[in-house]
Amino acid sequence: MREPIHTWLALGLALVLAIVVGACAGHDWATPADLWRAAAGDQALRSRLLVEWRIPRVLAAALVGGLLGLGGVIFQGVFRNPLAEPYLLGSAGGAALGATVALLVPLAMPQSVLLPLLAFAGAWGATVLVIGISRVSGAVDAAGMLLAGVAVAAILGALRSFLMLALSDETVSLQIVLSWVLGGVQTPSWPVLGLLTLISAGCLGLTLLLAGRLDVLGLGETMAVAFGLNVTRFIAVAVLAGSVVVAAAVAFGGLVALSLIHISEPTRLRRISYAVFCLK
């Protein structure tokens, strides 16, 4: 039992160190003493910039990276594959489609509210569509969902490309859409950061509720059934839960870490890569 505690302590210290380094880094480097003065309420311009801009962005990046890690844990547990990634079942395509609609279609809501809302809806809706297709086709196992996810992702990607060509004009730059698709954590206000913290805590609790049954599923479907687990139902529930976690990360960070998800490295190293990419 001592080794896991040491591991968690080491990872926690590494996260704190990464947050401090991320808050200090920038065009004008700060020192830990500057961060301390800013957190203590110093009203100098440098301290106010740190509190209002740099620190919230770094904390938001850390939370988005944590959400991606949780989503990866769920999908790796469901598909029993260490290469499974958070955007596996078309959630990336759904989020990108929702963001494209928010950025290119003039609607009656502020874009700052509409963009994360539609990105969340698109990511979660794409996963629901994948589960629906797999159920209609009778392929409700992990392999059937993977095939349905590939098909849905291709269709959503085509729809996004069509909208980008059909709706863009001289007043709307495609660079905005491409910038969001490439991912990036914008500086949130402290109330928005508090909301992201609550969402992250809820996603962590949701993941912990699934942890025991994911361990049972890791023994194989035959053994899981022998232990009394309804495998078909649990896979659907876990995939929906994972899509909620991923959708929350996408809503606040775009498709961040998409270029890193196919790295064939051990699971722990890949999660560290997520966090490092986000903190950049």
Side-chain angles (χ1 to χ4, degrees), residues 30-52:
T31 65
D34 294 329
L35 297 179
W36 179 262
R37 285 193 295 269
D42 184 25
Q43 293 300 311
L45 179 60
R46 182 184 182 87
S47 298
R48 290 172 59 191
L49 288 175
L50 288 173
V51 171
E52 296 177 10

Side-chain angles (χ1 to χ4, degrees), residues 41-269:
D42 184 25
Q43 293 300 311
L45 179 60
R46 182 184 182 87
S47 298
R48 290 172 59 191
L49 288 175
L50 288 173
V51 171
E52 296 177 10
W53 289 91
R54 191 177 294 180
I55 295 177
R57 184 177 184 182
V58 171
L59 293 177
L63 291 173
V64 169
L67 288 172
L68 288 174
L70 291 176
V73 166
I74 294 175
F75 284 112
Q76 288 167 5
V78 168
F79 297 105
R80 300 183 296 281
N81 189 334
L83 296 180
E85 38 85 7
Y87 302 125
L88 194 61
L89 296 182
S91 57
L97 181 62
T100 301
V101 173
L103 292 170
L104 298 181
V105 178
L107 298 174
M109 294 179 63
Q111 195 175 91
S112 59
V113 176
L114 194 63
L115 178 58
L117 186 62
L118 288 184
F120 183 94
W124 197 72
T127 307
V128 173
L129 179 61
V130 168
I131 293 177
I133 292 175
S134 63
R135 285 185 177 275
V136 170
S137 62
V140 293
D141 57 348
M145 286 188 183
L146 285 175
L147 293 175
V150 171
V152 169
I155 294 173
L156 294 177
L159 287 175
R160 177 173 62 87
S161 299
F162 172 76
L163 290 178
M164 290 173 64
L165 291 175
L167 300 179
S168 62
D169 53 26
E170 293 80 4
T171 61
V172 179
S173 175
L174 292 180
Q175 185 178 2
I176 300 176
V177 180
L178 294 176
S179 176
W180 189 92
V181 170
L182 291 176
V185 179
Q186 304 301 318
T187 302
S189 63
W190 283 102
V192 173
L193 182 62
L195 175 62
L196 178 57
T197 303
L198 291 177
I199 292 174
S200 300
C203 290
L204 176 60
L206 181 62
T207 307
L208 291 175
L209 288 176
L210 300 174
R213 285 171 289 178
L214 286 173
D215 289 339
V216 173
L217 185 62
L219 300 174
E221 293 189 7
T222 302
M223 289 294 295
V225 171
F227 275 101
L229 181 65
N230 187 334
V231 174
T232 301
R233 179 181 178 183
F234 175 70
I235 287 178
V237 171
V239 166
L240 286 175
S243 68
V244 170
V245 176
V246 175
V250 166
F252 288 92
L255 301 185
V256 67
L258 187 58
S259 60
L260 295 175
I261 56 181
H262 295 294
I263 297 176
S264 56
E265 296 290 339
T267 303
R268 183 179 301 172
L269 180 57

